[in-house]
């Protein structure tokens, strides 16, 4: 069982930056693929970025490429999402998720609201 708790969301002006953190419980954090998803009001949840167990493999959605950076610190059981050059369309609830090497994302955090004002 893995429990995920996000933090770091908030209100920021367009062009600003935020860093989301996701703290995970459990001693097997390093064996999980970690990801960030987001869901804007009225939209479906969409993937933003993911990172492999060692941090060497990352994936970014087209909207995140060049602006967002995912990273992880396995010693701290924490994954991060650094978001720069934020736009109003980045406004959403951001969720942290975990999965084993194969299979669907089975563990989810409670979500952290990010609001970008124009």
């Amino acid at each position: 069982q893995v429990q995920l708790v996000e933090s770091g969301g908030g209100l920021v002006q367009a062009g600003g930056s935020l860093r989301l953190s996701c703290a995970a419980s459990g001693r097997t954090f390093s064996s999980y693929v970690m990801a960030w998803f987001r869901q804007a009001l009225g939209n479906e949840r969409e993937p933003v970025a993911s990172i492999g167990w060692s941090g060497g493999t990352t994936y970014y959605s087209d909207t995140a490429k060049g602006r967002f950076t995912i990273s992880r610190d396995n010693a701290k059981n924490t994954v991060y999402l650094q978001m720069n050059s934020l736009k109003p369309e980045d406004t959403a609830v951001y969720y942290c998720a975990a999965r084993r090497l194969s299979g669907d994302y089975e563990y989810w955090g409670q979500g952290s609201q990010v609001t970008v004002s124009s």
Side-chain angles (χ1 to χ4, degrees):
Q1 188 77 6
V2 176
Q3 291 186 326
L4 304 173
V5 179
E6 300 100 335
S7 61
L11 174 64
V12 65
Q13 289 188 332
S17 298
L18 280 176
R19 187 176 82 156
L20 301 180
S21 299
C22 173
S25 65
R27 293 180 294 177
T28 59
F29 172 78
S30 62
S31 66
Y32 285 87
V33 175
M34 302 298 298
W36 290 95
F37 289 74
R38 71 185 186 185
Q39 186 169 19
L41 194 63
N43 290 357
E44 293 187 354
R45 187 161 53 191
E46 62 178 7
V48 176
S50 65
I51 187 166
W53 66 273
S54 69
T57 303
T58 56
Y59 155 85
Y60 294 95
S61 67
D62 287 343
T63 57
K65 283 178 185 175
R67 299 189 299 126
F68 295 1
T69 302
I70 189 170
S71 61
R72 66 190 296 163
D73 185 337
N74 288 341
K76 295 182 178 180
N77 281 12
T78 302
V79 62
Y80 305 97
L81 185 68
Q82 177 67 43
M83 303 185 292
N84 299 328
S85 302
L86 283 162
K87 305 174 182 179
E89 51 264 43
D90 294 317
T91 295
V93 177
Y94 284 71
Y95 297 91
C96 176
R99 66 169 175 85
R100 301 177 194 274
L101 288 181
S102 61
D104 297 329
Y105 285 95
E106 56 185 311
Y107 301 109
W108 294 84
Q110 82 286 355
S112 182
Q113 176 70 48
V114 171
T115 303
V116 184
S117 63
S118 58

